[in-house]
């Protein structure tokens, strides 16, 4: 293994008589470009000695630390390095930074995204020295055996707190340790989490044996910390808005009373918080496993109604009438749909809920937060026209309302910035659109970014002087990330709006408490992990900066004149328990590695911005015989099953399967459904599980259905006999055996056993054959339109809905095409080019 002292002989040195220099000097870093900061040099030095998790406040140069490590590894060793970041905008940001400040030829620093064809990605990978990518692309290419990590000499995991559960970071880190000759990992984050267990899980999953921590108060950091003024502005809720709550409160009290009459809660209880409701919901669902019980079914439905009404009340008080109107619209839509829950239908039919809906239509008042946002933002931009402002909202509805409220205000040029997922009457942004919006925000074409959680992590817009929270967030990670969008290159301000006497106040106290707890845990972890191993931190080769002669203080901070400590090896602890999924239609979740602070409550309309990943220990498959070949449908890659199969040594071939999800021989094809998927396919005619299984049985002699999960009879309010009826039809009508598994790892183990039986015992080989049943007319029409380059199935449906027929789409001119949502000039021109160009075959 190449050591730091060895690398010093390979890199140019500055005059060691100088104790400080103004800029970093390194062969691979542009001269006179990067200011020399002692804490960054010492962090990089520690990270070059061993795989390290670096915890550094926002705006203090985590990417610079990563660049120091990358430059030294590339200078000292042959091979390539990877820097991974969770989103395409962050990937583009890192790539731009490295191309600007490193002396490598630009074509040696590449960006890999899913939009690049696989063959081109392989070619780019082959010649690259620095690869900047989202983890999903690298995971996909590893599973598809397009690349391996044997010649990768370093990986930086940006926003490393995501490295838990089934997130792609975990798989990549595992493969890196097994494939690389000399692996070195750097994890960087500003907010690792409030619990020691969470931090230790991150370290364990990334195989980092050292934790380096800096805080704003450390002596070597403090000179570079820009003042960030924090204002908590408490706002009174108008009596008219509070009046909307009264009718809904009657509904809430009635449902709680009914729960008490069923003996599921103490009759003296008048209120249950979200955690209590979720715990009760879980216990009720578990109770159904022993058999149907009408009391339990009734109680589950009551809990769902309580959750919905509680959420409506919270929206009323903290967001305002406009947001409540959108929520009621979704509730009525759900109630009217065939797949809607009974709880939704009962609520919209309840006389008191109807009263609230009617009163809302007559209400002529807005939440004062909207006007306050307008005043704060317009004042900031009036006084400082070159400034940038970011307004964070937990809800997509509010991001739309705030943006519209700011339009037309002098000096304010607002733009909405949300995630990719499309929801009921709400189309998300593509990654390309996100990048374009951020570029225009940086350039000043827009100066007010109204964003959900998608903008919380990592975005570096130095001109951002003001960050405004429309409401507090209870998550310490999300709160720190939001605040970190300002005060990066100069002083900044953060304003948090808190509606008095509402959930805002609870989130206000929760966030403050959790931030203090996290800082305390980080310090404790730094004390524990760094106090066990002594040794002097060397300087960064080629920087002209010798190691500080003292010690690496209690938090790994190198302080001149003190003795030095370094990190330790070994990480005790257990993974954090999975949290409840988030409440649909309420705050958008931050993408924080699937650790949402807001719990999803079953039956509430809408979905979180970012779905949560489940935390859990990896179960290793123990089969070690002949290598098995398993074809896996590409759409299964997110399940974790393909990852587990590949990690066990199987030859996993990702492809697009017409029939089935896993093919293990010429006669055995496997369809996998989670318990939720299976239940949804029963009540949603568009899912058509019988059509899928009919194709499976028609095409393969030995079809198998795997239902994964333990909540088949409890996850939905469907009578167990109805579920049993469907299972009986599948088993007897189609002759398909049904096997139940616990989770993705259990499913992978079962598939592996079936594959071994077929390929080893029966000497059969996998064979792909069969196609789906012929498409319907509408499917064929969608297929024709979506076959045009850059037109996906969603855009194809929108075009057909707008024009009515394939012929009308083909006849439409560019201007007519651009009237359709999501069809821009380039796409319209491409359609016209394909339709109108002369064939030259």
């Amino acid at each position: 293994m190449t050591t730091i002292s060895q690398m010093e002989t390979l890199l140019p040195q500055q005059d060691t008589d100088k104790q400080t220099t103004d800029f970093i000097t390194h062969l691979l870093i542009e001269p006179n470009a990067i200011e020399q900061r002692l804490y960054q040099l010492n962090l990089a030095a520690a990270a070059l000695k061993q795989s390290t998790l670096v915890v550094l406040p926002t705006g203090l140069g985590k990417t610079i630390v990563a660049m120091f490590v990358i430059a030294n590894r590339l200078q000292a060793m042959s091979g390539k390095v990877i820097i991974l970041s969770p989103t395409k905008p962050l990937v583009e940001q890192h790539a731009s930074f490295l191309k600007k400040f490193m002396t490598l030829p630009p074509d040696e620093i590449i960006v890999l995204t899913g939009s690049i064809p696989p063959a081109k990605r392989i070619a780019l990978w082959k010649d690259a020295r620095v690869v900047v990518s989202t983890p999903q692309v690298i995971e996909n290419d590893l599973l598809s055996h397009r690349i391996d990590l044997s010649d990768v000499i370093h990986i930086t995991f940006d926003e490393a707190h995501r490295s838990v559960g089934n997130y792609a970071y975990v798989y990549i880190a595992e493969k890196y340790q097994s494939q690389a000759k000399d692996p070195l990992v750097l994890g960087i984050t500003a907010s690792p989490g409030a619990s020691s267990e969470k931090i230790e899980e991150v370290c364990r999953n990334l195989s980092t044996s050292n934790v380096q921590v800096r805080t704003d108060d450390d002596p070597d950091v403090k000179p570079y910390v820009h003042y960030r003024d924090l204002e908590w502005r408490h706002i009174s809720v108008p009596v008219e808005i509070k009046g909307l709550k009264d009718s809904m409160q009657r509904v809430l009290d009635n449902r709680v009373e009914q729960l008490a009459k069923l003996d599921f809660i103490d009759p003296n209880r008048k209120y249950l918080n979200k955690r209590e409701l979720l715990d009760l919901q879980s216990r009720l669902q578990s109770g159904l496993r022993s058999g149907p019980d009408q009391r339990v079914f009734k109680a589950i439905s009551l809990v769902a109604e309580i959750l919905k009404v509680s959420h409506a009340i919270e929206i009323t008080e903290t967001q305002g009438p406009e947001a409540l109107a959108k929520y009621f619209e979704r509730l009525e839509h759900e109630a009217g749909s065939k797949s809607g829950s009974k709880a939704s239908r009962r609520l919209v039919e309840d006389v008191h809920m109807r009263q609230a809906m009617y009163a809302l239509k007559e209400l002529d008042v807005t939440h004062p937060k909207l006007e306050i946002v307008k005043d704060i933002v317009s004042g900031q931009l009036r006084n400082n026209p070159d400034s940038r402002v970011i307004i964070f909202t937990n809800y997509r509805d509010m991001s739309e309302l705030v943006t519209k409220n700011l339009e037309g205000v002098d000096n304010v040029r607002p733009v909405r910035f949300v995630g990719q997922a499309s929801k009921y009457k709400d189309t998300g942004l593509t990654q390309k659109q996100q990048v374009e919006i951020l570029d225009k925000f940086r350039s000043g074409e827009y100066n007010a970014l109204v964003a959900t959680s998608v903008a919380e992590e990592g975005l570096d817009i130095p001109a951002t002087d003001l960050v405004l929270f429309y409401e507090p967030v209870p998550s310490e990670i999300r709160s720190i990330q939001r605040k970190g969008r300002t005060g990066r290159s100069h002083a900044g301000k953060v304003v948090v709006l808190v509606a008095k006497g509402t959930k805002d106040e609870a989130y206000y106290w929760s966030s403050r408490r959790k931030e203090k707890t996290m800082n305390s845990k980080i310090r404790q972890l730094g004390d524990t992990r760094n106090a066990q191993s002594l040794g002097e931190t060397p300087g960064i080769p080629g920087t002209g900066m010798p190691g500080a002669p003292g010690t690496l203080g209690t938090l790994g901070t190198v302080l001149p004149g003190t003795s030095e400590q370094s990190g330790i090896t070994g990480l005790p602890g257990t993974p954090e328990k999975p949290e409840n999924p988030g409440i649909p239609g309420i705050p958008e979740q931050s993408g924080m590695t699937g650790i949402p602070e807001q719990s999803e409550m079953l039956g509430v309309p809408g979905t979180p911005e970012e779905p949560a990943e489940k935390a859990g220990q990896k179960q290793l498959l123990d089969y070690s015989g002949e290598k098995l070949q398993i074809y896996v449908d590409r759409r299964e890659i997110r399940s974790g099953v393909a990852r587990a199969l590949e990690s066990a040594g199987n030859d996993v071939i990702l492809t697009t399967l017409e029939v089935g999800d896993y093919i293990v021989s010429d006669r055995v094809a496997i369809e996998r459904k989670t318990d939720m998927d299976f239940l949804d396919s029963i009540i949603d005619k568009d899912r058509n599980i019988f059509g899928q299984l009919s194709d499976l049985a028609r095409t393969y002699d030995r079809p198998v259905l795997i239902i994964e999960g333990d909540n088949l009879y409890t996850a939905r309010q469907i009578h167990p006999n109805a579920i049993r009826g469907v299972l009986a039809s599948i088993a007897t009508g189609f002759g398909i055996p049904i096997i139940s598994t616990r989770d993705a790892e259990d499913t992978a183990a079962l598939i592996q056993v079936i594959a071994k039986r077929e390929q080893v015992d029966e000497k059969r080989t996998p064979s792909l054959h069969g196609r789906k049943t012929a498409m319907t007319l509408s499917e064929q029409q969608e297929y024709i339109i979506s076959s045009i380059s850059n037109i996906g199935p969603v855009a194809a449906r929108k075009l057909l809905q707008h024009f009515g027929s394939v012929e009308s789409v083909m006849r439409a001119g560019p201007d007519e095409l651009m009237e359709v949502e999501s069809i821009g000039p380039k796409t319209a021109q491409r359609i016209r080019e394909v339709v109108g160009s002369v064939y030259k075959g």
Side-chain angles (χ1 to χ4, degrees):
M1 179 175 178
T2 305
T3 64
I4 300 250
S5 58
Q6 290 171 328
M7 284 193 286
E8 286 178 347
T9 65
L10 299 175
L11 297 170
Q13 300 291 314
Q14 286 189 332
D15 184 358
T16 55
D17 291 334
K18 291 185 179 181
Q19 293 186 349
T20 60
T21 55
D22 292 331
F23 297 99
I24 295 296
T25 302
H26 192 287
L27 189 63
L28 294 181
I29 297 176
E30 290 286 350
N32 302 319
I34 301 296
E35 178 187 10
Q36 183 172 270
R37 297 183 181 182
L38 181 61
Y39 70 89
Q40 291 174 341
L41 297 172
N42 284 320
L43 288 172
L48 283 163
K49 290 177 64 178
Q50 56 189 314
S51 291
T52 299
L53 174 67
V54 168
V55 181
L56 186 65
T58 56
L60 288 172
K62 290 183 288 295
T63 308
I64 292 175
V65 174
M67 184 174 67
F68 290 169
V69 175
I70 288 169
N72 277 280
R73 292 292 275 189
L74 287 175
Q75 181 67 15
M77 305 171 68
S78 61
K80 58 171 57 72
V81 301
I82 301 174
I83 180 165
L84 298 173
S85 205
T87 65
K88 186 176 180 181
L90 286 180
V91 166
E92 297 281 357
Q93 179 176 292
H94 289 317
S96 176
F97 177 86
L98 294 177
K99 288 178 180 179
K100 180 178 180 181
F101 292 109
M102 295 192 73
T103 58
L104 292 172
D107 60 354
E108 292 186 3
I109 301 175
I110 66 165
V111 170
L112 293 184
T113 67
S115 62
I116 300 173
K120 186 175 181 181
R121 289 206 302 267
I122 294 172
L124 290 170
W125 171 272
K126 182 179 178 181
D127 298 327
R129 296 190 71 191
V130 179
V131 177
V132 192
S133 177
T134 57
Q136 290 77 17
V137 172
I138 300 298
E139 178 189 39
N140 198 341
D141 286 347
L142 284 170
L143 283 168
S144 302
H145 305 291
R146 298 189 191 102
I147 64 172
D148 65 55
L149 306 177
S150 58
D151 67 338
V152 175
I153 56 177
H154 168 72
I155 299 181
T156 291
F157 293 87
D158 185 27
E159 309 297 349
H161 51 265
R162 287 175 172 256
S163 307
V164 296
N166 288 328
Y167 192 66
Y169 277 1
V170 179
Y171 172 77
I172 295 169
E174 178 189 341
K175 298 301 294 184
Y176 183 49
Q177 294 299 320
S178 65
Q179 292 181 356
K181 302 179 184 70
D182 186 10
L184 183 73
V185 166
L186 171 63
I188 53 177
T189 180
S191 47
S195 70
S196 300
E197 292 79 12
K198 164 68 186 304
I199 301 170
E200 288 168 352
E201 184 185 358
V202 169
C203 292
R204 181 172 54 252
N205 287 339
L206 293 181
S207 296
T208 55
S209 53
N210 180 29
V211 174
Q212 292 287 314
V213 180
R214 295 296 187 278
T215 70
D216 291 340
D217 296 324
D218 288 322
D220 55 346
V221 173
K222 206 164 188 176
Y224 305 99
V225 175
H226 298 286
Y227 177 71
R228 188 185 297 142
D229 180 27
L230 176 60
E231 176 187 352
W232 298 87
R233 188 171 296 191
H234 296 264
I235 300 163
S236 298
V237 179
V239 65
E240 296 91 343
I241 292 178
K242 288 184 176 180
L244 281 175
K245 175 183 174 182
D246 295 341
S247 295
M248 293 185 286
Q249 187 66 48
R250 292 191 190 97
V251 179
L252 188 62
D253 294 342
N254 174 264
R255 298 325 189 249
V256 172
E257 183 181 342
Q258 290 186 53
L259 266 183
K261 288 180 178 178
L262 291 172
D263 290 332
F264 287 109
I265 62 171
D266 187 328
N268 294 319
R269 292 295 302 274
K270 301 299 181 185
Y271 171 78
L272 289 85
N273 62 37
K274 288 179 182 178
R275 186 172 298 279
E276 291 172 328
L277 286 166
L278 290 172
D279 289 343
L280 175 59
Q281 187 179 64
S282 178
R283 293 196 304 273
L284 290 169
Q285 290 172 341
S286 298
L288 285 178
R289 292 173 184 168
S290 58
D293 185 328
Q294 291 303 316
R295 287 176 61 256
V296 176
F297 278 121
K298 176 66 173 175
I300 289 175
S301 186
L302 287 170
V303 170
E305 291 182 59
I306 292 170
L307 291 172
K308 292 174 189 293
V309 179
S310 298
H311 178 56
I313 291 173
E314 180 179 339
I315 287 179
T316 304
E317 296 180 322
T318 67
Q319 309 297 306
E322 298 89 345
L324 180 63
K326 288 180 173 290
Y327 177 73
F328 278 161
E329 182 182 358
R330 283 195 300 274
L331 190 66
E332 290 184 304
H333 173 75
E334 181 186 294
S337 68
K338 292 185 177 180
S339 59
S341 67
K342 293 179 181 178
S344 297
R345 286 192 283 272
R346 278 196 297 269
L347 278 181
V348 298
E349 293 168 359
D350 185 284
V351 62
H352 295 299
M353 286 297 287
R354 300 306 303 179
Q355 286 176 354
M357 292 177 180
Y358 294 142
L360 177 62
K361 293 177 181 178
E362 300 297 322
L363 192 66
D364 187 23
V365 64
T366 61
H367 201 289
K369 282 186 180 181
L370 280 172
E371 196 62 31
I372 290 172
V373 168
K374 185 187 293 185
D375 291 343
I376 293 174
V377 173
S378 62
Q380 173 70 29
L381 296 174
R382 182 174 57 254
N383 296 330
N384 188 355
D386 294 328
S387 181
R388 304 289 185 277
V389 177
I390 299 179
I391 304 102
F392 282 109
T393 68
N394 279 351
Y395 305 91
R396 274 198 176 190
D397 289 344
M398 283 313 306
S399 69
E400 179 182 351
L401 293 168
V402 170
T403 303
K404 289 181 177 178
N405 192 52
L406 291 174
E407 290 174 351
V409 178
D410 290 344
N411 303 315
V412 182
R413 300 181 294 278
V415 63
R416 184 172 181 247
F417 188 73
V418 298
Q420 298 177 59
S422 293
K423 306 169 185 181
Y424 176 66
K425 290 191 175 182
D426 187 356
T427 303
L429 298 174
T430 65
Q431 288 189 334
K432 182 180 179 180
Q433 289 172 323
Q434 290 175 343
V435 172
E436 289 173 352
I437 287 173
L438 291 176
D439 286 343
K440 291 178 179 179
F441 183 58
R442 288 189 179 93
S443 69
E445 185 172 339
Y446 300 120
N447 58 10
L449 191 76
V450 186
T452 57
S453 59
V454 69
E456 288 174 351
E457 287 183 313
L459 296 181
D460 185 16
I461 295 111
T464 302
D465 299 302
L466 172 66
V467 168
L468 196 156
F469 290 32
Y470 193 81
E471 65 282 286
V473 285
S475 162
E476 75 286 357
I477 291 177
R478 296 180 62 197
S479 181
I480 288 170
Q481 292 285 353
R482 286 185 175 191
K483 294 172 186 174
R485 297 316 101 214
T486 189
R488 301 179 72 86
S489 60
H490 54 271
K493 184 173 183 177
V494 177
V495 179
V496 185
L497 305 184
V498 182
K500 294 180 181 178
T502 72
K503 287 289 179 65
D504 277 0
E505 290 192 332
Y507 293 160
Y508 160 75
W509 291 111
S510 175
S511 176
R512 296 190 67 174
R513 174 179 55 80
K514 289 179 179 179
E515 282 191 50
K516 289 180 180 179
T517 300
M518 187 181 76
N519 290 332
S520 174
K521 292 293 183 183
I522 291 172
R523 288 184 176 276
Q524 291 174 15
L525 187 64
D527 289 344
T528 302
R529 294 172 61 78
N530 296 319
Q532 297 182 20
S533 172
L534 296 177
E536 189 164 306
T537 301
I540 299 293
T543 63
M545 198 66 198
T551 77
L552 223 138
T554 58
L555 296 176
T557 304
V558 178
L559 305 178
T562 57
S563 55
E564 178 175 73
Q565 296 174 326
S566 63
I568 65 165
T569 59
L571 277 171
T574 57
E576 184 172 302
K577 294 180 180 179
E579 298 195 28
N580 292 299
I583 290 192
I586 63 174
E588 299 200 59
Q589 302 300 332
S590 81
M592 300 278 156
T593 71
I595 309 177
E597 286 299 319
Q598 310 224 333
S599 303
E600 178 171 352
M601 302 164 187
L602 298 178
V604 180
T607 54
E609 176 77 20
E610 306 258 355
E613 301 286 347
K614 294 183 179 178
Q617 284 184 305
K618 186 175 288 295
Q619 305 170 29
L620 297 178
L621 305 179
D622 58 7
Y623 171 66
S624 57
E626 298 182 34
K627 194 169 189 178
L628 304 173
Q629 189 178 73
I630 302 169
Y631 285 89
V632 180
D633 187 80
R634 292 188 186 280
R635 289 159 290 194
E636 283 288 297
I637 191 172
R638 298 271 75 82
S639 70
V641 176
R643 186 189 303 172
L645 287 168
E646 196 274 340
S647 295
N650 300 296
D651 183 11
V652 172
I653 304 171
L654 290 177
T655 187
T656 301
L657 297 177
E658 290 276 356
V659 177
D661 295 322
Y662 301 85
I663 309 298
V664 299
S665 75
D666 60 331
R667 65 178 183 175
V668 177
I670 299 166
E671 181 76 19
R672 169 189 165 273
K673 296 284 186 188
T674 65
D675 45 18
M676 293 292 287
D677 283 339
F678 184 78
L679 295 174
D680 287 343
S681 66
I682 294 176
I683 59 180
D684 186 351
K685 67 176 183 178
D686 294 332
R687 304 293 288 274
N688 193 14
I689 186 173
F690 292 114
Q692 294 175 1
L693 296 178
S694 175
D695 290 337
L696 194 72
R698 174 177 52 80
T699 307
Y700 287 89
D701 293 337
R702 303 287 176 86
V704 176
L705 172 63
I706 293 177
I707 300 178
E708 181 183 297
D710 296 328
N711 298 308
L712 184 60
Y713 292 101
T714 60
R716 287 278 189 264
Q717 294 180 52
I718 302 175
H719 197 284
N721 285 342
I723 299 171
R724 294 183 186 112
V726 175
L727 295 175
S729 296
I730 293 170
T732 60
F734 294 102
I736 299 178
I738 304 165
I739 305 175
S740 176
T741 59
R742 293 188 310 273
D743 51 30
E745 297 287 346
D746 194 21
T747 299
L750 175 63
I751 292 172
Q752 184 172 258
V753 169
I754 296 173
K756 175 181 178 295
R757 177 182 176 84
E758 289 292 295
Q759 297 177 29
V760 177
D761 300 345
E762 300 293 331
K763 308 300 182 185
R764 292 179 174 272
T765 57
S767 174
L768 307 185
H769 49 86
R771 291 184 176 275
K772 294 180 180 179
T773 303
M775 292 185 288
T776 64
L777 176 60
S778 60
E779 289 173 335
Q780 293 179 63
Q781 291 170 321
E782 291 171 9
Y783 179 79
I784 291 172
I785 301 299
S786 64
S787 65
I788 299 173
S789 178
N790 298 330
I791 301 294
V794 175
R797 281 193 291 273
K798 289 179 179 178
L799 284 164
L800 287 165
Q801 289 167 355
H802 182 84
F803 290 104
S805 69
V806 173
E807 181 180 8
S808 297
V809 174
M810 298 305 182
R811 290 180 179 276
D815 292 339
E816 294 174 293
L817 290 168
M818 286 190 291
E819 292 176 3
V820 179
E821 184 181 7
S822 79
I823 302 299
K826 291 183 180 179
T827 304
Q829 187 58 42
R830 180 60 178 162
I831 293 173
R832 292 308 311 155
E833 181 184 354
V834 171
V835 173
S837 297
V838 176
Y839 176 63
K840 299 178 181 180

